[in-house]
């Protein structure tokens, strides 16, 4: 049996009879009834989560194909930032596809922390994947400004390491203590992590974009790079902003919870807007392969 989270009751239409707002309230009640019926329908749940699984599998396959194409084009280079980015996209989206493919089991674990781990860990990996772009842009910006770049990777790894350690500690505590207060704290932590990501895109994506705009030489390559940086920054900033707001709100409002089976429509649009569409768009924008021979325009980052 699928366990559903009960929704708070609303006043009935008869209690509001005779008021000027009766028609509007009746419509709201009808919509609420439809919403609750959809949320409680196994058919809608399966449709939403299997659709998410298929979409994630498609994006994962695209990332793998792109990784293989890059490897065939420049096999002499090691694991560059570009290759690692596509590999992590393949892993993140593949894990999401499997999780949502088995949604009926994932959301109904007797121990809630197992569900949280399976849903939150890919989100952290998504953070690490896309902040790689922030690291790459930061290195370009620092090199252009003749600033040291040696500590940028250390900062990236340190920040990610601290985030994962804190999250693992939260999971361990949730698994050993049945505290109703710690789950909202975990959601707020994920919201803070998303805020750090959008801040990184705003700072270094914005800096690199305006630096490219100030270049005196007008060329096709400059316009393409300007378009690439600007659009990827806007996409990633928006998706992490939505994630930050929705997760923060869900920590206070159970009706916005993303860790239950009976919110299929909310989950569908949330993951579609914060991971699937951004990943698909960014992979499309960054689809260009490196040149076959090393040139002045291509510097692999090992």
């Amino acid at each position: 049996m699928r366990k559903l989270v009960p929704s708070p009751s609303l006043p009935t239409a008869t209690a509001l009879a005779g008021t000027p707002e009766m028609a509007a309230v009746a419509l709201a009640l009808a919509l609420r009834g439809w919403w609750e019926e959809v949320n409680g329908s196994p058919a809608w749940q399966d449709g939403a989560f299997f659709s998410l699984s298929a979409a994630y599998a498609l994006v994962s396959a695209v990332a793998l194909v792109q990784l293989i194409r890059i490897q065939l084009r420049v096999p002499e280079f090691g694991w560059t930032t570009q290759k690692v980015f596509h590999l992590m996209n393949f892993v993140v989206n593949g894990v999401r596809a499997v999780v949502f493919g088995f949604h009926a089991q994932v959301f109904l674990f007797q121990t809630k922390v197992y569900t949280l781990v399976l849903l939150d860990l890919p989100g952290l990996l998504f953070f690490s994947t896309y902040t790689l772009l922030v690291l790459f842009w930061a290195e370009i910006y620092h090199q252009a400004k003749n600033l040291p770049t040696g500590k940028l990777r250390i900062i990236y790894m340190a920040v990610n390491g601290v985030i994962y350690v804190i999250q693992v500690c939260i999971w361990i505590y949730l698994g050993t203590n049945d505290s109703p207060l710690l789950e909202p704290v975990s959601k707020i932590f994920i919201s803070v992590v998303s805020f750090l990501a959008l801040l990184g895109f705003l700072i270094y994506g914005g800096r690199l974009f305006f630096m490219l705009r100030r270049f005196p030489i007008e060329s096709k390559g400059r316009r393409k790079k300007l378009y690439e940086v600007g659009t990827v920054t806007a996409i990633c900033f928006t998706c992490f902003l939505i994630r930050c707001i929705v997760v923060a709100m869900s920590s206070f409002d159970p009706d916005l919870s993303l860790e239950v089976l009976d919110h299929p429509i909310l989950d569908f649009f949330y993951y579609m807007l914060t991971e699937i569409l951004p990943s698909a768009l960014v992979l499309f924008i960054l689809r260009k392969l490196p040149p076959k021979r090393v040139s002045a325009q291509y510097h692999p980052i090992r």
Side-chain angles (χ1 to χ4, degrees):
M1 293 292 293
R2 297 186 175 186
K3 299 179 181 179
L4 302 180
V5 176
S7 301
S9 60
L10 288 178
T12 61
T14 55
L16 296 169
T19 63
E21 296 84 5
M22 181 178 177
V25 171
L27 177 60
L29 289 172
L31 291 174
R32 182 58 179 266
W34 174 85
W35 180 257
E36 291 178 350
E37 181 180 353
V38 166
N39 285 339
S41 169
W44 276 90
Q45 294 166 4
D46 289 343
F49 290 115
F50 282 137
S51 297
L52 286 174
S53 179
Y56 274 113
L58 178 60
V59 176
S60 180
V62 170
L64 179 60
V65 169
Q66 186 68 357
L67 175 62
I68 294 173
R69 292 178 66 209
I70 295 171
Q71 181 61 28
L72 293 176
R73 174 65 70 93
V74 285
E76 64 273 16
F77 296 141
W79 282 100
T80 63
T81 302
Q82 188 181 28
K83 291 180 182 179
V84 173
F85 174 76
H86 285 90
L87 175 64
M88 293 182 69
N89 260 298
F90 164 70
V91 172
V92 170
N93 288 282
V95 171
R96 285 287 196 205
V98 173
V99 168
F100 288 127
F102 292 93
H103 61 276
Q105 291 76 30
V106 169
F107 285 101
L108 298 181
F109 280 125
Q110 293 296 323
T111 305
K112 183 67 178 293
V113 69
Y114 296 153
T115 300
L116 294 177
V117 171
L118 290 174
L119 292 177
D120 290 344
L121 181 57
L124 292 179
L125 293 175
F126 184 86
F127 166 84
S128 299
T129 301
Y130 282 85
T131 49
L132 266 177
L133 295 177
V134 176
L135 171 64
F136 183 58
W137 291 345
E139 289 179 330
I140 294 176
Y141 180 81
H142 280 237
Q143 289 171 358
K145 295 290 184 178
N146 293 320
L147 299 172
T149 61
K151 294 183 179 180
L152 292 175
R153 293 197 172 199
I154 297 175
I155 294 173
Y156 169 81
M157 290 186 288
V159 169
N160 277 270
V162 169
I163 288 172
Y164 282 93
V165 168
I166 294 175
Q167 185 63 73
V168 169
C169 291
I170 292 175
W171 288 334
I172 293 174
Y173 192 86
L174 280 172
T176 56
N177 297 270
D178 190 17
S179 173
L181 296 177
L182 198 58
E183 189 175 335
V185 171
S186 177
K187 293 181 180 180
I188 292 174
F189 176 70
I190 295 295
S191 180
V192 171
V193 169
S194 301
F195 179 77
L196 292 176
L198 71 87
L199 197 62
F201 277 103
L202 186 63
I203 293 173
Y204 281 106
R207 284 180 175 179
L208 188 58
F209 178 82
F210 287 109
M211 185 182 73
L212 289 171
R213 285 191 64 183
R214 289 195 295 268
F215 276 1
I217 301 175
E218 185 67 31
S219 65
K220 184 178 180 181
R222 172 183 172 275
R223 288 195 300 271
K224 284 186 175 180
K225 183 59 65 175
L226 193 65
Y227 166 80
E228 176 184 302
V229 173
T231 51
V232 171
T233 297
I235 291 168
C236 294
F237 175 85
T238 302
C239 82
F240 280 108
L241 178 62
I242 295 173
R243 181 191 296 267
C244 179
I245 294 173
V246 173
V247 174
M249 291 176 63
S250 71
S251 64
F252 301 102
D253 187 354
D255 284 341
L256 294 177
S257 177
L258 301 166
E259 293 85 24
V260 293
L261 187 62
D262 67 337
H263 289 165
I265 304 300
L266 176 62
D267 279 341
F268 179 83
F269 283 106
Y270 171 77
Y271 288 107
M272 188 64 70
L273 292 175
T274 60
E275 289 186 1
I276 295 174
L277 287 178
S279 296
L281 291 172
V282 171
L283 288 173
F284 176 77
I285 294 169
L286 302 180
R287 67 190 183 279
K288 182 180 178 182
L289 296 176
K292 291 184 178 181
R293 296 181 180 180
V294 178
S295 67
Q297 288 76 30
Y298 181 68
H299 299 282
I301 299 179
R302 301 183 184 278

